[in-house]
Amino acid sequence: KERHDERTSFERMAEKKGMTSEEEKTKLRVGTADLLDMLQEDSEEDDMSKPLLELTLALGADTFMDLTKWTWLRSEDVFKLLNGRIIVFVRKTEDMMISEEKLSERIKEVQHKFSNSSDIDGENIRLAYVPTLTTVSSSEIRKTKDTSDLKPEVAEYIKEHNLYGF
């Protein structure tokens, strides 16, 4: 079975762009939208009789706030490819700095931004309050490369699969 991961998405994008040298590839940036494109393409190839793959993105409140600053590579496409289906996990601890009011305000901004798109109305964005989640954040791991708060097997998996820029 073919792998559906970040590395595969990267290699496909390099191939599509005709990039063969490692120097060219170091300049290539592949984002969440590119991975979603790959998953859609693969689902269409697997079975043409099925409807398009319907995915939902699950992320932390800090990452949602970052995504909706529209600075991600193809950030608007992420919403379009998901039809706005996003679950935002809110921790009771550090994410409380990102208040429910701020999150609701940002969701309204998303609704306004996509007001001409019938598929993205903001109703598909769900907040999930999970007080039992730890304070570990993928955003912080990306920034600091500190995995000391993770279980050793989780840190090993992240490093082994080159996640978060390791």
Side-chain angles (χ1 to χ4, degrees), residues 11-36:
E11 291 299 333
R12 284 191 191 179
M13 184 66 68
E15 186 179 320
K16 280 182 186 178
K17 293 182 179 262
M19 296 177 160
T20 53
S21 76
E22 289 305 311
E23 184 179 340
E24 287 176 309
K25 289 180 181 181
T26 60
K27 296 175 184 164
L28 179 62
R29 297 292 171 253
V30 176
T32 302
D34 299 309
L35 184 57
L36 293 170

Side-chain angles (χ1 to χ4, degrees), residues 31-60:
T32 302
D34 299 309
L35 184 57
L36 293 170
D37 278 339
M38 179 187 76
L39 293 170
Q40 280 293 8
E41 288 169 11
D42 287 356
S43 75
E44 290 168 11
E45 290 170 8
D46 287 346
D47 189 350
M48 296 298 283
S49 66
K50 288 184 182 176
L52 288 178
L53 188 64
E54 291 187 8
L55 298 170
T56 300
L57 181 63
L59 39 72

Side-chain angles (χ1 to χ4, degrees), residues 80-159:
K80 291 174 184 172
L81 289 162
L82 295 167
N83 288 325
R85 286 184 305 273
I86 295 179
I87 297 174
V88 181
F89 288 99
V90 182
R91 293 175 186 88
K92 191 162 186 130
T93 54
E94 291 180 6
D95 282 351
M96 293 315 273
M97 293 185 293
I98 302 171
S99 68
E100 186 173 352
E101 184 180 321
K102 282 184 184 176
L103 286 166
S104 295
E105 191 175 298
R106 190 60 63 89
I107 290 169
K108 285 179 186 164
E109 289 173 19
V110 170
Q111 287 172 319
H112 183 265
K113 183 172 195 64
F114 294 103
S115 61
N116 293 330
S117 175
S118 61
D119 292 335
I120 304 171
D121 59 9
E123 295 300 315
N124 288 338
I125 300 170
R126 303 278 188 222
L127 300 179
Y129 295 91
V130 187
T132 56
L133 279 178
T134 67
T135 59
V136 177
S137 160
S138 63
S139 299
E140 283 303 310
I141 292 171
R142 272 189 199 88
K143 279 187 233 171
T144 65
K145 304 290 186 234
D146 180 11
T147 60
S148 62
D149 289 336
L150 298 174
K151 291 183 179 183
E153 58 271 20
V154 173
E156 174 80 19
Y157 183 89
I158 288 170
K159 291 173 183 174

